[in-house]
Structures are given as C-alpha cells and as structure tokens.
Amino acid sequence: MKHLIATAALALLATTTLNASDMKQIRISTDRTDLVLQVGDNGRLYQSYFGERLLNESDLKELGWSVHPASDGSVSRRGWEVYSGSGNEDFFEPALAVTHNDGNPSTWLYYVSSSSHPVEGGVRTDIQLRDDKYPVDVTLHYVAYPKENVIKTWSEIRHQEKKPVTLSAYASTMLYFSRPTYYLTEFSSDWAKEAQMSTQPLLFGKKVIDTKLGSRAAMHTHPFFIVGLDQPAQERQGEVLMGTLAWTGNFRFTFEVDNVGNLRIIPGINPYASAYKLERDEVFTTPEFIFTLSTEGTGQGSRDLQAWARNYQLKDGKGTRLTLLNNWENTAFDFDQDILAELMKEAKDLGVDMFLLDDGWFGNKYPRKDDRAGLGDWEVTHDKLPGGIRALTDAAKEAGVKFGLWIEPEMVNPKSELFEQHPDWAIHYPNRETYYYRNQLVLDLSNPAVQDYVYGIVDKLLKENPDIAYFKWDCNSPITNIYSPYLKAEQGQLYIDHVRGVYNVMKRVKDNYPDVPMMLCSGGGARCDYEALKYFTEFWCSDNTDPVERIYIQWGFSQFFPAKAMCAHVTSWNKAASVKFRTDVASMCKLGFDLGLKELSADELLYCQTAVANWKRLQPVILDGSQYRLVSPYESNHMAVNYVSTDSRKAVLFAYDVYPRYQEKLLPVRLQGLDPTKRYKVEEINLMPGTQSTLPANGKVLSGDYLMKVGLDAFGFQPMQSRVVELTEVE
C-alpha cells in the first residue's frame, strides 16, 4: 500500500510540475555556443537547439520544442530527449537503462526543477528529472565556461526502491544534430602507435568506439573524438564538435544516424560486463563529458580546450614544469648506486631540473631484474642500492638536481612477496588457468584494503624520503582474468568500482601531497583523460620516441591537450635522425631526455645544453601560450606549429621537414595568432655549434601582418631536418 501511495505522489508531482513549467526553457551558454533545453508539453525534457550562440532573447522563444518525425509519424510522437530512458516510445539507443524491482525495464523521466549558480570560471546548471511510476531520480549537471567556449556535463542516478535496481546503461549525456552529412575523426592506438587519426563518414546506423581493457583502457583507442558537421573536420574553418570523456576505465561512444538522417551522440562508461547493482539511496555518478563546438575548425576548438584545461582541470595547470633526465633508455635494469650518482651529475651538466630513476630499483626476495618479478614489493633492492632512496636523494642534492622516481603501484607480479601473502588482492579467476599480460596482474582496487595498500606505497616513500620531487606512475597491463575475489557474486561492479578505487588513491595522494608533480603513464599513452589529469600534472604520450613518429603522435594528442600536459623525451630511437631533430621535436611539449650523455659528441652535448636553456626561457610561450597547428604531417611531407604568448609579444615557430620529395614545391609557412600591428624580430635558435642560420628572414624585423599573410621560408629538402624560430616584438 505504501508503494502505491508513493507512486501516486510521484505521478502527481510530475503533473503539477508540468503545469507549472509552462514549457520552460533552460539555456546553457558560453560566449559562442548555446545549448537550449526545453520542457515539452508532455513534461519531459528535450534538446531544442545546439549551435552558435543566439544573440537575441526573442529568438529563444521561437525555438519551441522539436518533434522529429519517425518513418511513420502515426507510431509515436518523438523528440530529442535529453536523457532518454529505455523502454519508452523512442526507437533508438537510450542513455539510461534500469531494471526495477518488479522486473520492469522501462524508465520515463519527467522534468521536476532546475537551478543555476556561478562556479569558478563559469556557470553550473542542475536539472532534476524523475520517473512518474518508480522512485528513480536523475540529476543532469552542466558547467559552461563562457570565455573558453567549453561545456562539461555529467549525470547522477539514484533511487528509493526497496531493493537494488540494475543499471545496464548509464551515459553521461546525449547530444543531437540534424545536418546533411557527418564525419567522424577517431584516434586509434596501440603500443607505440598512439593517437593515430582517421576520418570516415557517419551513415545510417551505429558507429561504436569502445574499450574493454579496464586499467590500461585507452591502449587501442583514446577517449576523445571529433565530428565534422557538413564536411570533414578542418583545421581553420568549418563547424566541429570536439568531445572527450573524463574516465580512466572502459568507455563507449555511440554515434547513431537514424532513419531520417539525424545524429545522436552518446558518451559514457562502457556497460560491457558491468550490469551495475545500485543500492537504495546510493548515487551513481557518471564521468564528465567535456566538449566544445567550434565554428572555426579544430584549431580554435583545440585552443579552447587547452586553455580550459590549464585554467580549471589539469593539476597545477598554471604552474611550471620540470625538465628531466631519465635513465631507462640508458641503463634499463642494469644500474647501481654509483652509476645513478654519475647520471645525476650528467643531468646537472645537461642543464635539466631533475634526474628520474625508472624501473628496477625494488624487490629483495624477488629482485626486479626484469619485468617478471618484484612488482608489489616496494622496498629498495639492498644489494643494488645499499643506501636506499635517501642516498639517491642526497646524491641528487649534491649534484644540484631534484630526484624523481618510477612506480607502478596498481600492479603485482605473481613472483612477489605481496602475491604470496595476498593472492586474493589480485584480479584473477578462482577456477581457470591464469593468463598474463607482461607477466603481471592488476591489483583489485575495488577492495578498500587494497586501496589503503596502494596509497601506503606512495605515502611511505614520501614520509621516509621527503626529497622525492616527482613520481612517474605507470600502469602497464589491462585487466586480465576478470574476476574480483573481493566482489564475489557482484562482478558487474568490478570495472566501475576498480576505477573509483584508483581515483580514491589518487585523490588521497593529491590531498596529502599537493605539491608533488606526477606523470601519468600507461605503457605509453594508454591513460590520457581529464579525470586522471586532475591528479597528474602531465602524461606520457608514447613509449615510441622516434621523432618522426612523435610528430604524428603529438599532433594527435594536441587536438585535446595543452603542450604542458604532454611529456616528450629525447632518446636514441631513430639514430638516423640528428640529435637536433630529435630535440626540436621534443621541445614542442614538456621537454625531457632519456639517453646517456657519453654517447653524444661535444658539439651535440653543447647543442642539447643550449636547447634546454632556450626551452626553459621560452617555457611560458610554449606551455602557456596559444598553439596554432600550421602544416599537418597527414597532408604534406612537412609539419609546422607555432605558439604565441598571452600578450602576443613573443612567439616560437617549430618547422620540420619529415620526408620531403625530391625538389618538391616548398611553400612559405604562414604563422597565426600574432598581432598584425606589432613588429617582430625573427631569429633562428637551436642551431648546431659552428653553423649559421640559412633562414632567409633571419635577423629581419617583420610585421605580424606580413608573417601571417606572406610567411617564412622555413622548409627545406633534406629528410628529418628542423628549424626553431623565435619571434620577439620590437618596440
């Protein structure tokens, strides 16, 4: 009887709200975009407009609420419902699917209320929806950042049914378009082949991009996309939607073109093997979906996302970054305390800020001599490093550099003391033969005891060694043997609760050690999302440091991330390329080195020292300035990008000849973002010792107008050649 009364009360509330709403409109706006939602005359919430900002308030009144025809209009009255539930009259993919206590799989959400209030940098709008038959509530959240032209949105799902309900779909949002054509640019990936861009038309039916890898979720595809409206996405013109999901686990993007040519886009957690049992009054929070709608191509969209990330999302987004020397490519596992002390002196000689010790420093019963043992046992290997971490931080101090450390705390080797003591802490089947990826298993972060252990690794290292200045946090394996001993019969929770456990650990680290910068790494760029980047200052784009390949990888990641979030190291990969070319490619992002200085000639070492000094001096321009992608390696045999400082007084141009054809026609590189009224001195920097610039305009003073309309002859005919050009305003 109580259930019937509650249901009747909910229905009455929905009806009352409908009558009071009077076709209420909700406007979510930036300085350049409007997303307009409207309550229909049936009491449900629909998208009535998404596009360029409407300047006149009277235009909003004309929008009404859209009813979009089905193939047979007599079947149902359909609209672009903002958060469509399964089992309603819509024929296409829903955002939400709930199975209720009585087995009913339908959810119809009605508008209840909405409110808006200011937050840092923008305005947050919260919208309450409720089912009229079941005590199920959904809150839609939107934060609009007017200046940056970025909107982020997520949803919260809760219920008050007596028993748990089962969620089998739980998207972050839904967006709709009605255009003649749509073109999807996706970012496929594999180890050493990250962020490979490809474009295809979206035709009738569904295109799904998803991942089922768990911890190393983005190994095969990245959690971002571009949709070109009316034409394939272009760098400098055309309308594009650029979206990314802030989730470090399995994700799914569904692009569905319906029978009349409308497109719906549904981003969210991948519900694969994740039928989630939601308890009464528990709140299920979906990941943030972050997007921008640019009418000036992907270049402007990228600059908006990059500025937004630096201002609001990236850890220490407005701070500086440390240059470093890593030992991995130089020594791998083969080092000792004396070797590392000498490498720290090399770091100082190179001019970088920090020495970073990579894998191979831990384990005693099972010392870390290769990747087959030791993960989980985070004690210094005594016979390799008798003085412990303290001796290394002291040696770094003596050398005059900071000290950073590699860890992989979410993983365990079966050949470890941790696994011997706590086999139930690892995700693995109880009754099948175990299979391994990189000889390791993933610790079960859905288990609070395991969360405490993983946090304790970092906490102990920092308490005992407060001079550790940096962590490289790796994650080399996807989840294999997908069974949680902790969750037992509730395996549908694993993929989601594991990621939430990872966040719990990361948040504790950030809360207790807020000033320790950290690199997000996952066997390369398999972790690259804006939720994890709330806790990390930067991410490792790829283990592939071949400079030619890096040109493509960094071009792809730059679509969504600022240069200061992207780590790039100079290594010995592709020795056919000069040290200058390798260094100039890495200098486009957060610069580091991973090679032995003894393999360099005197001139090469001097060059690297000069390049480091130049990068440090120009860090405010490269890392905090506006980025303009000028020449795409996908469309030519060259690549160029320039950065412009916030006051337009300084700029840096990077130009690369990748593999030019014999005597091909070379075009000037026309810069962007300069002040056309300013005059700039042109100076080529990062030159090898004893060489002179061959840039025709070197030393000249040219107007910003000339540099943007005529440009610089910065390209040449030799493979793997590069130029770095500094432009400085002349008063």
Side-chain angles (χ1 to χ4, degrees):
M1 185 67 182
K2 289 182 180 178
H3 176 68
L4 292 175
I5 294 172
T7 301
L10 284 169
L12 177 62
L13 176 59
T15 304
T16 303
T17 303
L18 169 62
N19 295 335
S21 68
D22 192 27
M23 303 287 283
K24 179 180 177 64
Q25 279 187 340
I26 303 168
R27 186 180 186 185
I28 299 156
S29 299
T30 73
D31 289 348
R32 285 172 274 150
T33 299
D34 265 331
L35 174 61
V36 182
L37 313 179
Q38 181 143 8
V39 180
D41 57 12
N42 59 358
R44 285 153 64 183
L45 187 65
Y46 298 87
Q47 176 188 310
S48 61
Y49 179 79
F50 180 32
E52 245 185 304
R53 184 180 172 92
L54 298 167
L55 298 180
N56 298 314
E57 294 292 333
S58 60
D59 292 338
L60 291 168
K61 298 178 182 178
E62 298 298 324
L63 288 175
W65 75 285
S66 301
V67 178
H68 297 277
S71 55
D72 180 353
S74 65
V75 173
S76 65
R77 186 181 186 198
R78 294 191 296 114
W80 288 356
E81 192 166 7
V82 170
Y83 206 72
S84 180
S86 64
N88 66 19
E89 75 280 22
D90 188 277
F91 307 140
F92 298 94
E93 189 75 17
L96 177 67
V98 182
T99 301
H100 303 282
N101 290 174
D102 60 3
N104 192 318
S106 66
T107 301
W108 296 43
L109 296 173
Y110 291 83
Y111 174 82
V112 176
S113 64
S114 60
S115 61
S116 296
H117 60 274
V119 295
E120 181 188 10
V123 176
R124 172 169 163 169
T125 300
D126 303 317
I127 304 169
Q128 304 291 332
L129 306 175
R130 181 170 296 164
D131 193 301
D132 64 332
K133 303 297 183 185
Y134 295 91
V136 173
D137 296 274
V138 173
T139 305
L140 307 180
H141 302 282
Y142 298 84
V143 179
Y145 298 87
K147 182 181 177 182
E148 291 83 6
N149 192 39
V150 167
I151 299 171
K152 70 177 181 181
T153 178
W154 69 98
S155 58
E156 292 179 337
I157 305 159
R158 60 164 62 87
H159 75 94
Q160 291 184 320
E161 297 191 32
K162 290 182 178 179
K163 298 179 181 178
V165 302
T166 301
L167 305 181
S168 54
Y170 25 75
S172 294
T173 193
M174 300 177 79
L175 294 174
Y176 299 85
F177 294 94
S178 182
R179 299 297 178 87
T181 54
Y182 316 96
Y183 294 86
L184 172 67
T185 298
E186 57 185 313
F187 296 79
S188 60
S189 178
D190 203 343
W191 179 81
K193 287 183 62 177
E194 289 82 358
Q196 303 297 300
M197 299 173 65
S198 60
T199 300
Q200 60 184 275
L202 291 172
L203 304 175
F204 172 78
K206 292 179 187 175
K207 164 71 176 180
V208 175
I209 298 174
D210 70 358
T211 177
K212 304 177 180 71
L213 299 172
S215 53
R216 192 175 170 181
M219 183 166 63
H220 294 155
T221 184
H222 295 303
F224 39 86
F225 64 85
I226 302 170
V227 172
L229 302 171
D230 303 327
Q231 64 177 21
Q234 304 294 319
E235 182 71 25
R236 302 181 202 176
Q237 62 86 28
E239 194 169 6
V240 294
L241 174 75
M242 304 177 70
T244 180
L245 191 72
W247 181 246
T248 319
N250 295 344
F251 60 86
R252 184 175 72 179
F253 298 135
T254 302
F255 306 88
E256 185 169 21
V257 178
D258 67 18
N259 53 301
V260 291
N262 298 320
L263 170 66
R264 70 174 61 186
I265 299 173
I266 310 176
I269 297 172
N270 189 353
Y272 165 78
S274 298
Y276 195 92
K277 190 173 287 186
L278 188 68
E279 301 287 342
R280 178 188 175 106
D281 289 325
E282 177 187 355
V283 178
F284 186 100
T285 303
T286 70
E288 296 172 352
F289 177 63
I290 300 143
F291 62 95
T292 185
L293 186 68
S294 169
T295 58
E296 300 175 60
T298 55
Q300 184 59 55
S302 295
R303 286 187 289 278
D304 288 336
L305 287 165
Q306 291 163 1
W308 167 83
R310 290 191 299 263
N311 288 336
Y312 310 112
Q313 196 87 355
L314 179 64
K315 180 183 176 183
D316 195 22
K318 297 180 182 179
T320 58
R321 296 293 184 265
L322 297 170
T323 53
L324 61 85
L325 176 66
N326 197 356
N327 71 299
W328 178 250
E329 297 285 346
N330 186 10
T331 70
F333 295 101
D334 188 16
F335 59 81
D336 60 25
Q337 195 165 302
D338 293 335
I339 290 173
L340 296 180
E342 287 301 312
L343 292 179
M344 293 173 193
K345 295 175 185 176
E346 289 190 7
K348 179 62 175 179
D349 191 32
L350 183 59
V352 297
D353 303 302
M354 179 175 62
F355 173 78
L356 173 61
L357 173 58
D358 215 289
D359 195 358
W361 57 269
F362 51 90
N364 287 291
K365 182 177 180 181
Y366 302 105
R368 183 74 166 172
K369 298 177 180 178
D370 52 36
D371 68 359
R372 297 180 178 275
L375 277 180
D377 301 342
W378 298 98
E379 297 289 340
V380 168
T381 305
H382 300 313
D383 60 358
K384 183 184 282 191
L385 302 172
I389 298 297
R390 179 60 59 88
L392 298 179
T393 58
D394 288 345
K397 274 186 181 179
E398 185 176 345
V401 293
K402 295 179 183 294
F403 178 79
L405 191 63
W406 179 95
I407 53 174
E408 193 176 2
E410 301 166 48
M411 302 288 159
V412 63
N413 287 125
K415 196 173 180 179
S416 67
E417 294 183 76
L418 177 65
F419 190 75
E420 289 177 345
Q421 296 165 10
H422 297 285
D424 58 317
W425 281 8
I427 296 172
H428 67 291
Y429 296 127
N431 58 352
R432 296 186 185 277
E433 182 179 352
T434 303
Y435 66 99
Y436 299 101
Y437 189 97
R438 280 193 53 151
N439 309 299
Q440 61 196 69
L441 295 171
V442 179
L443 290 174
D444 184 3
L445 271 295
S446 70
N447 185 338
V450 179
Q451 294 175 32
D452 289 341
Y453 175 78
V454 173
Y455 170 74
I457 293 166
V458 181
D459 186 51
K460 182 180 179 184
L461 282 168
L462 287 172
K463 281 182 176 175
E464 293 180 352
N465 308 281
D467 289 324
I468 293 176
Y470 183 91
F471 281 113
K472 178 182 178 182
W473 184 308
D474 216 336
C475 172
N476 279 304
S477 178
I479 295 178
T480 58
N481 310 280
I482 306 158
Y483 179 87
S484 164
Y486 172 74
L487 291 172
K488 297 182 174 61
E490 306 299 335
Q491 296 301 311
Q493 321 288 100
L494 174 56
Y495 277 126
I496 295 171
D497 285 353
H498 176 81
V499 177
R500 290 173 174 170
V502 171
Y503 292 153
N504 286 344
V505 173
M506 292 175 176
K507 186 176 186 302
R508 288 172 71 182
V509 172
K510 182 181 177 182
D511 288 347
N512 292 314
Y513 302 99
D515 299 325
V516 178
M518 298 198 298
M519 178 201 297
L520 182 66
C521 182
S522 187
R527 280 185 169 176
C528 50
D529 69 274
Y530 273 121
E531 183 64 29
L533 286 172
K534 291 178 179 178
Y535 311 109
F536 289 79
T537 49
E538 55 222 59
F539 72 95
W540 181 231
C541 300
S542 177
D543 285 344
N544 187 342
T545 51
D546 178 326
V548 172
E549 297 298 326
R550 270 293 183 137
I551 280 174
Y552 290 89
I553 291 168
Q554 291 168 196
W555 184 274
F557 278 122
S558 75
Q559 307 290 318
F560 287 88
F561 299 100
K564 77 187 322 173
M566 296 164 53
C567 299
H569 292 178
V570 183
T571 76
S572 297
W573 282 48
N574 191 353
K575 287 190 176 180
S578 67
V579 167
K580 170 177 166 54
F581 186 77
R582 285 179 264 158
T583 304
D584 288 349
V585 170
S587 294
M588 283 191 294
C589 299
K590 203 225 81 166
L591 179 63
F593 288 78
D594 195 346
L595 77 175
L597 300 194
K598 290 182 173 61
E599 69 183 68
L600 303 178
S601 68
D603 280 350
E604 287 174 332
L605 176 58
L606 180 57
Y607 166 80
C608 289
Q609 292 167 332
T610 303
V612 169
N614 283 335
W615 189 90
K616 286 184 173 182
R617 179 173 56 82
L618 295 170
Q619 182 179 159
V621 185
I622 298 169
L623 297 193
D624 294 309
S626 296
Q627 180 196 69
Y628 295 84
R629 294 184 296 265
L630 307 176
V631 179
S632 169
Y634 284 93
E635 298 171 1
S636 74
N637 302 316
H638 308 267
M639 186 271 217
V641 60
N642 76 263
Y643 298 89
V644 182
S645 65
T646 53
D647 60 7
S648 301
R649 300 188 66 183
K650 180 78 77 172
V652 184
L653 168 68
F654 294 92
Y656 307 94
D657 305 313
V658 186
Y659 289 120
R661 300 293 299 274
Y662 175 72
Q663 292 297 303
E664 67 171 270
K665 183 176 182 179
L666 299 178
L667 299 174
V669 178
R670 291 185 290 179
L671 283 78
Q672 295 182 50
L674 303 175
D675 185 333
T677 66
K678 294 185 187 298
R679 294 178 61 78
Y680 297 88
K681 183 179 180 181
V682 178
E683 181 182 7
E684 183 173 3
I685 60 173
N686 284 21
L687 295 167
M688 288 296 294
T691 63
Q692 300 293 321
S693 173
T694 58
L695 182 72
N698 190 56
K700 291 185 178 180
V701 176
L702 301 171
S703 71
D705 191 52
Y706 179 94
L707 290 164
M708 291 190 290
K709 291 177 179 175
V710 179
L712 297 174
D713 293 317
F715 290 145
F717 293 112
Q718 295 300 313
M720 294 184 289
Q721 300 295 308
S722 56
R723 293 186 193 273
V724 181
V725 182
E726 181 178 354
L727 298 103
T728 306
E729 182 190 7
V730 176
E731 297 291 349

